[in-house]
Amino acid sequence: MKLGILADIHSNLPALQECLGVLQGEQVDGYLVLGDTVGYGPFPNECLELIKQLPVVRVIAGNHDWAAVELEDVESFNEEARQAILWTRTVLKPEHKVFLNALEYNIHTEFYQLVHGSPRDPLDEYLLDVDTFEKNLEDLKANICFVGHTHLPLFFYREKETNKLNSRTIAEGEELALDRTTAQIINPGSVGQPRDGDKRASFGVFDTGTLKFKLMRKEYNIGIIQEEMKKAGLPEPLISRLSEGR
Ligand code: ZN
């Protein structure tokens, strides 16, 4: 089964549409959505409508999704993120609030685990370094774990020869040969607000048969979303950062 892996869409409809177009071309059978479908951007309802229509989709909650339905306090958010959440609360349709409220935040099967932040702190921890990876090993429920939250395409793994834990970024088009016998955490980067200096949407495709994960990037019309963000009165730094991928 081929699965599209999408994280941190952040209400960015043009980016989401482009990614879904690529994944349909890859003939995926289903999708895994790793949280933060809303927040920051101007299209929360449209993104949720699109996600809910996908065939075979598993969606988990991120910290912005929870904040949008008041399950998480916005006090810990920075000023721009907080403003965007307060705006999102005012426009979210009731049925989408119900959907976000009901989302699980830590899903695991025998094949994989899905969390937004990290296995030990599924909503809020940023998995950025090997030290944090190590501290999460005992909470891993499957050897292949997909995360989001940092908006950076990153791979955490154990080196075969030395048994040492390691991490690295994942390049566009790179194929990771995952395996079931050793702990690995994969972040596909962010669909709607990439932060690795590449403004293109970042996402992946995972084949549950071959255990290959491929990272993909796709350009989208940034002007459309920036225009809509201005109209909605969303904070300027959130608008300009999309042009820089930071
Ligand atoms: Zn996020």
Side-chain angles (χ1 to χ4, degrees):
M1 196 177 193
K2 267 176 126 179
L3 300 170
I5 315 285
L6 303 164
D8 294 283
I9 295 162
H10 282 298
S11 301
N12 187 334
L13 184 67
L16 176 59
Q17 287 169 326
E18 289 291 340
C19 296
L20 292 177
V22 173
L23 289 168
Q24 275 153 17
E26 294 276 322
Q27 296 183 306
V28 298
D29 307 289
Y31 299 85
L32 306 177
V33 182
L34 305 171
D36 281 4
T37 302
V38 304
Y40 292 133
F43 299 110
N45 292 309
E46 294 83 351
C47 287
L48 285 166
E49 265 144 38
L50 199 47
I51 287 292
K52 285 155 95 175
Q53 286 165 14
L54 294 173
V56 198
V57 59
R58 301 203 79 171
V59 187
I60 56 164
N63 54 321
H64 285 251
D65 302 319
W66 268 31
V69 290
E70 299 178 51
L71 288 171
E72 180 158 324
D73 202 343
V74 282
E75 295 316 309
S76 63
F77 282 51
N78 69 42
E79 180 55 25
E80 284 99 30
R82 197 178 65 82
Q83 281 184 37
I85 284 297
L86 296 178
W87 177 84
T88 302
R89 284 178 184 171
T90 66
V91 298
L92 258 189
K93 289 183 183 171
E95 69 261 33
H96 294 143
K97 287 188 178 171
V98 171
F99 176 80
L100 292 178
N101 250 299
L103 287 180
E104 291 178 79
Y105 57 83
N106 188 355
I107 292 180
H108 48 92
T109 70
E110 56 177 313
F111 297 111
Y112 55 75
Q113 181 173 11
L114 312 176
V115 286
H116 180 63
S118 73
R120 67 172 178 172
D121 185 355
L123 271 303
D124 293 311
E125 184 170 50
Y126 290 92
L127 238 170
L128 285 162
D129 52 52
V130 171
D131 188 44
T132 314
F133 176 40
E134 183 162 28
K135 288 182 175 136
N136 272 282
L137 289 177
E138 66 184 65
D139 291 290
L140 266 183
K141 304 284 187 220
N143 276 331
I144 296 172
C145 176
F146 293 103
V147 302
H149 199 39
T150 62
H151 299 206
L152 302 169
L154 288 174
F155 181 40
F156 296 88
Y157 61 102
R158 192 182 286 281
E159 281 177 11
K160 289 225 166 72
E161 304 75 41
T162 60
N163 223 24
K164 249 185 67 188
L165 298 176
N166 209 343
S167 74
R168 61 183 176 83
T169 58
I170 316 170
E172 179 187 8
E174 188 179 349
E175 247 185 9
L176 303 176
L178 304 177
D179 83 79
R180 278 190 212 288
T181 63
T182 168
Q184 298 137 101
I185 298 183
I186 305 97
N187 189 324
S190 168
V191 170
Q193 195 200 75
R195 293 180 189 163
D196 62 340
D198 182 340
K199 63 188 178 186
R200 295 174 301 165
S202 186
F203 58 107
V205 61
F206 173 56
D207 189 318
T208 60
T210 63
L211 299 185
K212 291 235 168 83
F213 170 87
K214 183 169 75 176
L215 190 92
M216 287 183 274
R217 305 297 293 243
K218 182 76 169 82
E219 265 180 53
Y220 68 95
N221 192 328
I222 293 177
I224 289 180
I225 182 170
Q226 287 178 323
E227 203 48 50
E228 196 64 28
M229 287 171 86
K230 275 183 208 144
K231 272 193 238 160
L234 288 162
E236 164 54 30
L238 296 181
I239 300 172
S240 53
R241 73 185 301 175
L242 293 175
S243 304
E244 285 140 38
R246 293 273 177 209

